[in-house]
């Protein structure tokens, strides 16, 4: 079945460092891809999305490109801030368009001043 | 500012008691999802509804959990009887299915359940 694999965390960075969180997927068909973020004590929020190959999603300085050839959707940010400390989830939509999402296990990011 | 509303935010109960969690999805959304999040298991899908009909509840322990949508503005998740292993954060999410670019889910703030 369809699945999402994220890099293991936690990831600890200093403020202004570059961030990459790897995400690869296995899917039949052509799913949409998402990154969600969960700040402490809150629910998940959509960070960015891409609906087809070579699309780039971006928001709040974060970017991710839908790479069909490598089945990847890595999350990147050029300069992280302490306020980016959170858990990041990669997800894909089921091709049957039920609205169901398949989530990765989440990657915790801690940014130190 | 439309949002998914969950109540209660926190619940502490004793083993064997019934627990009911409520969710008000965003108006106009046609899908509702219930998730459970724990440190050990991460985020697990328990059940989901489309147009108020249950599509899949295979992630839910059937003997003690039940999920319903009595109307379009209310979804409920019940645990009876509750057990300490049910302690977790329960999230409700709603969305609109169908078509590329949709399938975005909007999450509530969660209900933190502690079963003693």
């Amino acid at each position: 079945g369809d699945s999402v694999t994220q890099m293991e965390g936690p990831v600890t960075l200093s403020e202004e460092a570059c961030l990459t969180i790897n995400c690869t997927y296995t899917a039949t068909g052509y799913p949409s891809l998402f990154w969600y973020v969960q700040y402490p004590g809150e629910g998940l929020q959509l960070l960015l999305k891409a609906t087809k190959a070579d699309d780039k999603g971006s928001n709040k300085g974060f970017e991710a490109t839908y790479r069909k050839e490598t089945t990847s959707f890595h999350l990147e940010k050029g300069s992280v801030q302490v306020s980016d400390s959170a858990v990041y989830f990669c997800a894909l939509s089921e091709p049957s368009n039920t609205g169901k999402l398949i989530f990765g296990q989440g990657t915790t990011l801690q940014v130190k001043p | 500012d439309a949002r998914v509303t969950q109540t209660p935010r926190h619940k502490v109960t004793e083993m064997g008691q019934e627990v009911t969690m409520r969710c008000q999805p965003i108006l106009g959304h046609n899908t509702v999802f219930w998730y459970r999040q724990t440190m050990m298991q991460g985020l697990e899908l328990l059940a989901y509804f489309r147009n108020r009909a249950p599509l899949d509840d295979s992630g839910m322990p059937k003997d003690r959990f039940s999920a319903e949508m009595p109307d379009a503005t209310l979804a409920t998740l019940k645990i009876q009887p509750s057990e300490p292993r049910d302690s977790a954060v329960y999230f409700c999410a709603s969305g609109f299915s169908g078509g590329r670019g949709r399938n975005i889910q909007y999450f509530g703030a969660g209900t933190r359940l502690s079963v003693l």
Side-chain angles (χ1 to χ4, degrees), chain B residues 37-115:
Chain B
Q37 187 177 42
T38 61
M39 289 294 291
M40 293 298 295
Q41 300 297 327
L43 194 65
E44 302 173 278
L45 177 65
L46 297 176
Y48 73 101
F49 295 78
R50 185 177 186 180
N51 297 324
R52 294 178 54 204
L55 283 194
D56 185 1
D57 60 2
S58 59
M60 215 163 57
K62 301 289 192 306
D63 56 338
R64 299 184 299 109
F65 285 59
S66 63
E68 296 180 347
M69 278 201 75
D71 61 59
T73 65
L74 177 65
T76 62
L77 180 66
K78 292 185 181 180
I79 308 174
Q80 169 63 20
S82 59
E83 297 181 1
R85 59 180 168 152
D86 301 329
S87 298
V89 181
Y90 291 81
F91 289 105
C92 174
S94 72
F96 194 86
S97 70
R100 297 194 76 76
R102 296 189 173 181
N103 301 319
I104 297 171
Q105 292 184 18
Y106 297 83
F107 281 72
T111 294
R112 182 174 295 275
L113 174 65
S114 297
V115 182

Side-chain angles (χ1 to χ4, degrees), chain A residues 30-32 34 36 38 41-46 49 51-52 66 89 93-94 97-101 103 105, chain B residues 9 31 33 35 37 43 45 48 50 55-56 91 97-109 112:
Chain A
Y30 305 97
S32 293
F34 306 83
Y36 278 78
Q38 183 180 27
E42 299 183 11
L44 281 69
Q45 305 173 22
L46 178 67
K49 65 179 174 68
T51 59
K52 62 183 187 298
Y66 190 139
F89 292 88
S93 61
E94 278 196 337
N97 272 328
T98 58
K100 184 179 173 183
L101 295 178
F103 286 91
Q105 73 271 31
Chain B
R9 288 295 314 276
T31 54
F33 303 83
Y35 293 91
Q37 187 177 42
L43 194 65
L45 177 65
Y48 73 101
R50 185 177 186 180
L55 283 194
D56 185 1
F91 289 105
S97 70
R100 297 194 76 76
R102 296 189 173 181
N103 301 319
I104 297 171
Q105 292 184 18
Y106 297 83
F107 281 72
R112 182 174 295 275

